[in-house]
Amino acid sequence: MGVTKSEIYTEEQNTLANQLKAIAHPARIAILQELIKANACICGDLVLELGLAQATISQHLKELKKVGLIQGTIEGVSVCYCIEPKAWAALQNELNKLFASYKVSNTCC
Amino acid sequence: MGVTKSEIYTEEQNTLANQLKAIAHPARIAILQELIKANACICGDLVLELGLAQATISQHLKELKKVGLIQGTIEGVSVCYCIEPKAWAALQNELNKLFASYKVSNTCC
DNA sequence: TATATCTATCGCAATATTACGATTAATATT
DNA sequence: AATATTAATCGTAATATTGCGATAGATATA
């Protein structure tokens, strides 16, 4: 026990949950905001911006990359990260669907 | 170590992360979808709908209630749950801000 | 080639999450 | 009053997450 029973959910539910899990951490939200703000992509600058160790930042970047929300390009010695537009738009769309499906009503508790 | 360093982030980042963490599980996504679909609020029906034990569903409901995204009303022996409209709208708004802040550009990697 | 710079990965410790059976509490029904 | 129904909570086991120091790998610079 203690493992999420992915089998009982739909593909969509699992994917959305995984992407949300990737965003659901203040450090990773901060990273995404920083990537968006800088437009051009930063990398080790994130270590300076946030107050976390280099190993920790690297790990958070890996999480975001794992679900496809960001991409990294090697530029000489350093690595440049930025938002992956397609995955970003897809997640936005999926969330829109979820939120749009709810209509406020008074037949509730 | 092993604890999220909430002190180094903004209130907004922490709150958003907490709300997203609440949604970032397929069971809780399924619960929200079910609550939305049924409009009127269900409760123990969720145990039947999803394939999880009663204790587990109850725990997931608690998580969602903790961040204010749902509310429960006692109706005799059972409890009726539904979306909490204000918190739901607030989260939608916060996410919209995040997604809207990103503009696709070609000055990226 | 030697050295510096930058990032990824490993290994570990602390803590959090997920799931469930068993129990408790609270309201209905008989 | 006794019993059934429903949901919350407790306790526990398995697993996942978070954070960091240390190390390794890869590219640049002297």
Side-chain angles (χ1 to χ4, degrees):
Chain A
M1 297 97 202
V3 204
T4 301
K5 299 166 95 178
S6 308
E7 332 84 60
I8 69 173
Y9 310 105
T10 67
E11 185 76 27
E12 283 77 21
Q13 288 169 335
N14 282 318
T15 303
L16 180 55
N18 277 330
Q19 304 232 69
L20 287 176
K21 192 153 62 172
I23 311 191
H25 191 287
R28 295 195 288 269
I29 290 176
I31 287 175
L32 290 171
Q33 289 174 331
E34 195 58 34
L35 289 183
I36 288 171
K37 200 177 81 182
N39 199 3
C41 333
I42 340 173
C43 63
D45 296 346
L46 291 166
V47 178
L48 299 175
E49 285 292 332
L50 319 187
L52 293 172
Q54 182 267 318
T56 309
I57 295 287
S58 197
Q59 209 170 316
H60 282 306
L61 288 168
K62 193 179 173 186
E63 293 287 311
L64 290 168
K65 210 159 49 171
K66 199 179 71 186
V67 298
L69 285 173
I70 66 171
Q71 65 187 136
T73 311
I74 300 173
E75 280 189 359
V77 133
S78 55
V79 178
C80 176
Y81 282 99
C82 62
I83 302 285
E84 204 296 298
K86 277 182 198 158
W88 188 252
L91 174 56
Q92 180 172 25
N93 189 55
E94 205 61 36
L95 283 170
N96 276 342
K97 278 201 296 187
L98 176 62
F99 280 99
S101 67
Y102 173 67
K103 306 283 179 218
V104 185
S105 89
N106 44 8
T107 60
C108 191
C109 46
Chain B
M1 298 97 204
V3 204
T4 300
K5 298 167 96 178
S6 309
E7 332 85 58
I8 69 172
Y9 309 106
T10 67
E11 186 77 27
E12 283 78 20
Q13 288 169 335
N14 282 318
T15 304
L16 180 55
N18 277 331
Q19 304 232 70
L20 286 177
K21 192 152 64 172
I23 311 190
H25 191 287
R28 295 195 289 267
I29 290 176
I31 287 174
L32 290 171
Q33 288 173 332
E34 196 58 33
L35 289 183
I36 289 171
K37 201 178 80 182
N39 199 5
C41 332
I42 341 172
C43 65
D45 295 348
L46 291 166
V47 179
L48 300 174
E49 285 291 332
L50 319 187
L52 292 173
Q54 183 267 319
T56 308
I57 295 287
S58 198
Q59 210 171 315
H60 282 306
L61 287 169
K62 194 181 174 185
E63 294 287 310
L64 289 169
K65 210 160 49 171
K66 199 179 71 187
V67 298
L69 284 172
I70 66 170
Q71 64 186 135
T73 311
I74 299 174
E75 280 190 358
V77 132
S78 54
V79 178
C80 177
Y81 281 99
C82 62
I83 302 285
E84 204 295 297
K86 277 182 200 160
W88 188 251
L91 174 56
Q92 181 173 24
N93 189 54
E94 205 60 36
L95 283 171
N96 276 342
K97 278 201 294 185
L98 176 63
F99 280 99
S101 65
Y102 173 67
K103 306 283 179 219
V104 184
S105 87
N106 44 8
T107 59
C108 189
C109 47

